[in-house]
Amino acid sequence: MAGGRAGGGGGGGGGGSAPGPPLPAAPPRAELKCKMKFGIYLPPKAETGKCPVLYWLSGLTCTEQNFITKAAFQQAAAEHGLIVVAPDTSPRGCNIEGEDESWDFGTGAGFYVDATEDPWKTNYRMYSYIKDELPKLINANFPTDPERMSIFGHSMGGHGALILALKNPGKYKSVSAFAPICNPIQCQWGKKALGGYLGPDASKWEAYDATQLVKSYSGSRLDILIDQGKDDQFLSAGQLLPDNFIAACTEQKIPVVFRLQQGYDHSYFFIASFINDHIKHHAKYLNA
Amino acid sequence: MLPHGTGEQRAAGLRFIISKASLRIPMSSRSGSTRDCETNSQSQHHSSSPPVLEASDTETEGLIFYHMDLYGSKERFDIFPEELSGRGDRSLGDTRRESAVSSEKVQCPQEAGYDLEKEVAELAKMYGLDEDGEKELELLGGHLEKVESRWPPARTGKAGLQDSIYNISKSSSLVKDPSQSTKQQGLPDEASQGENQSKARADDEAESSIWSRGGLSSGGMSDEWNSQAVSEEEEEEEEEEEAADVFCSTCKIPIRAFDKLFGEHKDHEVAQLPNAVENEKEEIHKNMCKLEEQIAQMENVASHLEEIFITVEENFGRQEQNFEVHYNDAVQVLAQKYEEQLEALGEEKRQKLEALYEQLVSCGKHLDTCKELTDETQELFLENDKAEFMKAAVTMVDRLEEFLKKEVDLELSTLPDFEERVIDVSEVEQLMNSINAIPAPCAPVINPQAPNAATGTSLRVSWGLFSDDTVECYQLCYQPVSNESHSDGQAAPSPPTIKNKKIRSCENAALVCWESRDINPVDSYTVELSKLTDEENDDIITESIVGIPNCEVLIHLQPTQKYHICVRAQNLGGSSERSEPVLIHTTGTCFYLNEDTAHPLLAILDDGFTISCDELENPECDLPVYDNSFTRCIAILGSLIPFPGKHYWEVEVEEDTEYRIGVAFENTPRHGYLGANNSSWCMRHIITPSRHKYEFLHSGMTPDIRITIPPRRIGILLDYENCRLAFFNADIAQHLHTFNSHFQHYVHPCFALETPDESPQETPEKSLNRLSPPKVDSRA
C-alpha cells in the first residue's frame, strides 16, 4: 500500500516504497557553501495534492542515507500522506582542518548550530540551513504545503529537532525525538561540539540547549513525544540526559510523553520499532 | 479493437517491406524448395555475421530497394557495380548493360550462374530457338567465371575459363558449396561470408532486373516466386532491421541514418531504432495485455456459460417433470372420458334393441291373432247349417269388428342410428392449457413483526417463500382491527416510566429501559423516537419501534444527534399515553455506575457520576458486601452499552488523587486490583515523593512512561473494531498511551481509588461521559 518515492539515493526498502532515482546533487548551498544531499520521500498522495512535510534530523556520523534506508518509516508516511525529508548532518568536503579528525565533531556532527568560530563559521551553519534554506528548497521543488511542517530526529538530530521547535514557536506543528541529546551543555558531546563551534563562552551554548530553551519557552503549545531506549549506552554514559529535560518541561508545563523502552539501545532498530508512533504523532497535528 | 488494428497495419507495413525484399530473392526459387532452404540459411548467416560486413551488405540492399522501385533506371544499376570490386563487377556491369538491351540475356547468366544443370537445360530449351543461343551461353560462361573469381582463388582456378554447359553446372555447384559449408560450420568465415553476400547481391541485382522485366513478360512466374519466397522474406527483414539504426515512422521501416539524410526518407519523420523498438514492444505488450484481458473475459464467459448450462439442465429437468405430471393427468382424464362415453353408448344400444324386440314380439302376437281369426272365419264359411252359420257369423263379425278396431302400431318405435353426443373435452383442454403454465406457488409465510418495523403511518411487513416457486407478484391483504371492539372491558395501560439513570448510549446506539407499574396487563411496548433538529417541528416522530415484548430496547441511532425518546405500553384495550420523553445525545458514550460492584468504602455522590472514598475511622467488619462488589480494590464498574464500535468518555481527576481508571470485563476478579490481571486495562496514577507517576497496567505490566503534565481530564477511547484502548490528556489533546488488545467480550469502564488508609478524599473522580472525543485522537 505504501507507494511513493524515496529520493536522494539508495533508499527505502521498508514499507514497500519504490526508491526513485537519486535527486541530482544540489547546487552549493548559500548557508553552507558546499553541496548538500538530502533524502526525500513522497507519499502517493503527493501525486495528486500538496502534502505536509516532516523533517528528520539524523544523529552523529549519519548521512542523509541512514534514515531512508533503515528507519522503515515509508509505510506510515504513505498512510498519513506525509513528505519526509532527511538532510545530511553536516557540510562535507569543505577542507577545513580537523573536520574529519573525530566522529563527534566536524563532518557528520554539525550539531544543528550556526558556528561562530573560525574555521567553522563559514560552512557549519546547519541551524539556518535546516530552518530556512532547506524548507525553501523543498517547498520550491515539491508538492508541499509550506504551512504544515513538523520535525523530529534521533540523538544529535533529536537535539536539533527539539531546539528548532523550541527556538521557533509555531514554525513546526509538532516535534518528537528518539533518544535526543536533551541537555548538550551538560554532556561531553555537547561540550565538545558547542565549544568548538561557538567558542568557550558556555553562556552562548544555552541558545542551543533544549533543556535551557524549555525554561524560557513561551510559545504555542507543543506536544513532545520522546522515545528512549532503556538500554541505551549513551543514556547511561550521561550523554542524553532526558531527565533534565523532563524536569524542565514538568516545571514549565510543557506537555511531554517520554517513553522509556525497555530492552532498546541507541540503534536504528530502536527507531524502526517506534517510528510508526512518531509518524502518527506528527500526522495528528499535520493533518489536523 | 484498436490495438489489433494497429498491429495489422504494422503487419501490412512489414508485408510491404517483404514484398520489396522478395524482389531480390527469386534467384533460386525456380529450382525448387531445396534451394529455397539454402538461401534461407544463407540469410541467417548474413544476419549473424559481423556488423562490418553487415553494413556493406545493407548498403547494397538499400540501394537495391531503390532501384527496385525505379526499375529500369539504368543509373541506379550503374551505381551498384561500382561498389563491388574486380572483374566480377565489371562483368556484372556488362551483364546489366546487356540486360538493358535484352531481358533474355540478363536472365540467362543469372539463372545459369545459380541454378542447377536442369535449369540450364531448361534455359537451353527455352532459348533454343533463339539465334543468339550460343552467344548467350558463351556470355554466360564468362560471367560465371567472373562470379567465381570472387570466391577464393583456388576455386576460381578450378573453375577455369571454360564456357560450356558442363562448366556452368560445375560452377553452380561450387557456388552452392560455400553456403552449405557455412551452414555446417555455424560461424562463417568472413571471406566466404563476404563472397556469399556479394554473390547474393549479384543475384539480387540480376534477379531484380529479371523480376522487373519478368513481371512484365511473365506474371505467372513472378507470382510463384513471390509465394515461395515468403519465408525468406522475413529473414531478410530481420537482417535489414539489424543493420538499420533509425526507424522511419512515415514508411514504418528501419532505415539507416544515411538514408534519413540523403535518401528517400529525407523529409520523413524518424526515430532512433532502439526507441522505435521500445515503442513497438510497448505496443505489443499492450496487445498482450489486451489478449490477457480477453482471455480473462473469455474465462468469465466460459464459467458463466457453465452456470447457464447447469441452470438449463435444472430448468429443463423441472419442466420435463412438469410435463410428465400434466400429460399424465390429461391422459387419465381422456381415458375416463372414453370409458364414460363407451358406457353411455352401450346403454343406448341395449335400450334400442330391447324396444325393437318388444315391438317385434307384439307384432308377432297381432299376426297370430289375425291368423286365428282368419282360420275361424274360413271354418265358419265351411259351416253348412244356416242357422248355425248365422249364429256364429254374428259373433264372428263382432269379434272381427272388435279386432279391427284395435289399431295396429306399425310405426318403428326406435331409430337405428344413435343419439348425437357432445364429447366434452373442455376439462382436457384446461389441463392441456395448464401444462405450459407455471404451477401455482405455495402460500408465503409472513414473518412476525420485527421491532422497529413500523412508524405512525407505515408498517414494514416481510414474508418468506419456502419453496422455489416462481412468483410474479404478491398480493397483500390487510384489514384494520378496531381497538375498541375487542377490548373485552380491558383498560388501556398507563404510560411506562423510562429509567433515566439507566440510559446508556454511544455514538451509534442507545439502550433504554423502563418500568411499567400498571396493574393492567401489557402486551407490548412501542418506542417512539424524534430526532431533534434545529428546526421547529421537533415533535415529529421519526421512528417507532413496535412490538417490544420486554422493558428494554437497543436502538440504533445516528452519531452526533439529539433524540427525544418515549415509550407507550399496549394491550388489547389500546395504547397508553406516551411516557415522559428522555433526551439522548449520541455524542460520546453515556453509561452509569453499577452500584452493585462498588467496594463498600466507595461512595457515589448524588450526581451519580462522582465517586469518593469514605473515611475509614475504624475498620468496621460489618460493612455491607454484595456478592458482586469489589472487595480489595476500592473500585466500581460502570455499565457500558453493549455495542461494538467506538466509545469515548472522559474522567475528571484531581491532581493529587491516586487512581486507576480504564476498562474491565464484567467478570473481572473482585478480589484483585484493576490492571493486575488480564481482564482489566487501566491507567494508574501514583504520587511518589519526586513526581507523579503514571502506569498503564494490564496483567500487572506497564510500559515506562513519563508525562510532564498531570492530566486533569482523561479521555478514554475504546475502539472494539480496531482493538485498542487509548488514553488522552483531554485538556490538551495529548495522547498518553494506547493498549492494543482484542477484546473478546464487552468491557465496562472501571474506576478505583487507591490507598484508603491515607487521608480521606472527597470527590476524587468524576466521570463525564457526554463529551465528544478530541478530534485529534487519530493517532491512537
Side-chain angles (χ1 to χ4, degrees), chain B residues 98-112:
Chain B
E98 292 218 24
S99 78
V101 176
S102 145
S103 68
E104 288 160 356
K105 279 181 184 176
V106 182
Q107 214 163 353
C108 284
Q110 191 274 322
E111 298 207 354

Side-chain angles (χ1 to χ4, degrees), chain A residues 221 223-225 230 243 246-247 249-250 253-261 277 280-281 283-285 288, chain B residues 655 692 702-710 724 728-729 731-737 776-780:
Chain A
R221 193 195 300 284
D223 180 359
I224 304 172
L225 172 64
K230 198 170 188 174
D243 287 343
I246 290 164
C249 286
T250 307
K253 306 261 181 225
I254 306 277
V256 177
V257 170
F258 177 85
R259 313 192 297 186
L260 200 57
Q261 305 287 5
D277 288 346
K280 277 184 197 167
H281 172 79
K284 166 177 153 184
Y285 292 98
Chain B
E655 202 172 320
H692 293 278
T702 177
D704 195 341
I705 291 178
R706 289 177 65 178
I707 295 166
T708 51
I709 298 183
R724 60 185 189 172
F728 300 87
N729 180 340
D731 286 323
I732 57 172
Q734 182 187 32
H735 172 256
L736 302 175
H737 180 68
V776 281
D777 64 350
S778 63
R779 121 131 214 250

Side-chain angles (χ1 to χ4, degrees), chain A residues 31-54:
Chain A
E31 295 287 357
L32 310 177
K33 312 285 188 290
C34 71
K35 283 187 179 180
M36 288 296 287
K37 290 183 180 173
F38 61 87
I40 185 164
Y41 171 82
L42 298 174
K45 206 178 160 191
E47 286 166 23
T48 54
K50 297 194 167 189
C51 294
V53 187
L54 180 54

Side-chain angles (χ1 to χ4, degrees), chain A residues 207-260:
Chain A
Y208 293 105
D209 184 290
T211 303
Q212 292 301 318
L213 288 168
V214 156
K215 290 175 181 167
S216 57
Y217 183 80
S218 60
S220 59
R221 193 195 300 284
L222 277 176
D223 180 359
I224 304 172
L225 172 64
I226 297 175
D227 270 307
Q228 172 65 57
K230 198 170 188 174
D231 299 336
D232 185 334
Q233 52 174 321
F234 300 115
L235 177 68
S236 46
Q239 298 279 29
L240 307 174
L241 305 171
D243 287 343
N244 297 353
F245 183 72
I246 290 164
C249 286
T250 307
E251 192 144 312
Q252 292 297 313
K253 306 261 181 225
I254 306 277
V256 177
V257 170
F258 177 85
R259 313 192 297 186
L260 200 57

Side-chain angles (χ1 to χ4, degrees), chain B residues 36 120-121 200 203 226 264 350 468 516 625 649 759 768:
Chain B
D36 277 351
V120 179
D203 262 355
N226 217 347
E264 175 188 347
R350 193 181 53 81
D468 52 354
S516 177
V625 175
W649 63 95
S759 58
L768 298 170

